[in-house]
Amino acid sequence: MTKEYQDLQHLDNEENDQQHRKGPPPQQSLFRRLCSGPCLLLISMGLSLLLLVVVCVIGSQNSKLQEELQALRETFSNLTASTDAKVKTLSMQGGNVGRKMKSLESQLEKQQQDLSEDHSSLLLHVKQFVSDLRSLSCQMAVLQGNGSERTCCPVNWVDYEGSCYWFSRSGKPWPEAEKYCQLENAHLVVVGSWEEQKFIQHHVGPVNSWIGLTDQSGPWKWVDGTDYESGFKNWRPEQPDDWYGHGLGGGEDCAHFTEDGGWNDDVCQRPYRWVCETQRDRDSGS
């Protein structure tokens, strides 16, 4: 064997010894094998697809949530509108009930007032009926010669609380009206109380009528001497005013009933109706 061949064999033996000493060649890691070449591309595509699926799912869920949220908003809006409508309806109904209650209260008050007025009017009619009946009985007794004229009111006169009243149906100036009453052994009416005021007003009605009150000779005086200052008064607001603007000359010196029963001073020459009064136990001259 030649020397060259021996050297080559010796080198081979040394390499084999080195290889035995080093051990088998290291294997590549699993990660490197997976991340190398086509595997890496497939993994990337898979992750991308998975991410896409996740995004789609999240988007779908978000869309559903948005729809549910919108539905909730619409439901809440409808509920709010319905509640507001019901509240307004209840409020209107409450207002209507309140107005109806006030209307009923007003009607009840008016009915009570009407009943009270009707009651007063009925009592007045009853008193007048009793008075007329007594006067008629008295007149019959006089005609039969069994009674005294001094206890009866004259024919066509109205008996009330011990006095006799006559109500005209035509008009005269105040002085002529007072003279007419004097010829009947009476005088123009002297109003001494609210009850007498209502009695006269009931018979006079809504017509201007003279009463026995004048200030022609100074301060206001009743024709029968009754004290004016301490007595009953029923002047209308701002009366008496002794107005000179009527164009008839002078002021206003005679008192009369107005349409509503209040007193007013006026020119004594106006032709108004009048009321005469006399005491029932006085001689009527008839």
Side-chain angles (χ1 to χ4, degrees), residues 3 17 32 99 180 219 245:
K3 186 179 180 179
D17 292 337
R32 287 185 179 180
R99 286 191 291 272
Y180 179 95

mmCIF file of all heavy atoms in Angstrom, residues 3 17 32 99 180 219 245:
data_model
loop_
_atom_site.group_PDB
_atom_site.id
_atom_site.type_symbol
_atom_site.label_atom_id
_atom_site.label_comp_id
_atom_site.label_asym_id
_atom_site.label_seq_id
_atom_site.Cartn_x
_atom_site.Cartn_y
_atom_site.Cartn_z
ATOM 1 N N LYS A 3 2.051 5.129 0.255
ATOM 2 C CA LYS A 3 1.994 6.136 1.317
ATOM 3 C C LYS A 3 0.839 7.100 1.157
ATOM 4 O O LYS A 3 0.194 7.486 2.137
ATOM 5 C CB LYS A 3 3.330 6.881 1.347
ATOM 6 C CG LYS A 3 3.414 7.848 2.530
ATOM 7 C CD LYS A 3 4.773 8.523 2.501
ATOM 8 C CE LYS A 3 4.900 9.491 3.669
ATOM 9 N NZ LYS A 3 6.199 10.155 3.726
ATOM 10 N N ASP A 17 -13.669 9.651 13.467
ATOM 11 C CA ASP A 17 -13.518 9.802 14.920
ATOM 12 C C ASP A 17 -14.126 11.115 15.400
ATOM 13 O O ASP A 17 -14.755 11.177 16.458
ATOM 14 C CB ASP A 17 -12.008 9.732 15.286
ATOM 15 C CG ASP A 17 -11.417 8.326 15.051
ATOM 16 O OD1 ASP A 17 -12.268 7.359 15.053
ATOM 17 O OD2 ASP A 17 -10.231 8.230 14.918
ATOM 18 N N ARG A 32 -39.251 26.438 13.468
ATOM 19 C CA ARG A 32 -38.579 26.820 12.226
ATOM 20 C C ARG A 32 -39.153 26.053 11.053
ATOM 21 O O ARG A 32 -39.309 26.587 9.955
ATOM 22 C CB ARG A 32 -37.075 26.572 12.344
ATOM 23 C CG ARG A 32 -36.379 27.589 13.240
ATOM 24 C CD ARG A 32 -34.882 27.355 13.215
ATOM 25 N NE ARG A 32 -34.196 28.335 14.053
ATOM 26 C CZ ARG A 32 -32.869 28.382 14.231
ATOM 27 N NH1 ARG A 32 -32.119 27.457 13.623
ATOM 28 N NH2 ARG A 32 -32.315 29.298 14.990
ATOM 29 N N ARG A 99 -113.860 72.612 36.048
ATOM 30 C CA ARG A 99 -114.793 73.591 35.505
ATOM 31 C C ARG A 99 -116.242 73.168 35.749
ATOM 32 O O ARG A 99 -117.095 73.997 36.066
ATOM 33 C CB ARG A 99 -114.542 73.791 34.011
ATOM 34 C CG ARG A 99 -113.274 74.597 33.705
ATOM 35 C CD ARG A 99 -113.222 74.984 32.250
ATOM 36 N NE ARG A 99 -113.022 73.827 31.395
ATOM 37 C CZ ARG A 99 -111.833 73.351 31.057
ATOM 38 N NH1 ARG A 99 -110.734 73.941 31.518
ATOM 39 N NH2 ARG A 99 -111.717 72.315 30.256
ATOM 40 N N TYR A 180 -151.982 115.245 46.377
ATOM 41 C CA TYR A 180 -152.978 114.182 46.194
ATOM 42 C C TYR A 180 -153.059 113.316 47.446
ATOM 43 O O TYR A 180 -154.144 112.986 47.909
ATOM 44 C CB TYR A 180 -152.604 113.343 44.981
ATOM 45 C CG TYR A 180 -153.556 112.203 44.699
ATOM 46 C CD1 TYR A 180 -154.587 112.360 43.784
ATOM 47 C CD2 TYR A 180 -153.434 110.973 45.358
ATOM 48 C CE1 TYR A 180 -155.480 111.326 43.533
ATOM 49 C CE2 TYR A 180 -154.325 109.938 45.120
ATOM 50 C CZ TYR A 180 -155.344 110.109 44.203
ATOM 51 O OH TYR A 180 -156.237 109.082 43.963
ATOM 52 N N PRO A 219 -132.058 121.074 54.441
ATOM 53 C CA PRO A 219 -131.549 119.696 54.476
ATOM 54 C C PRO A 219 -132.655 118.700 54.136
ATOM 55 O O PRO A 219 -133.844 119.027 54.136
ATOM 56 C CB PRO A 219 -131.070 119.531 55.918
ATOM 57 C CG PRO A 219 -131.888 120.497 56.698
ATOM 58 C CD PRO A 219 -132.116 121.669 55.798
ATOM 59 N N GLY A 245 -127.110 119.736 35.704
ATOM 60 C CA GLY A 245 -126.891 119.629 34.263
ATOM 61 C C GLY A 245 -128.063 119.092 33.477
ATOM 62 O O GLY A 245 -127.918 118.765 32.301
#
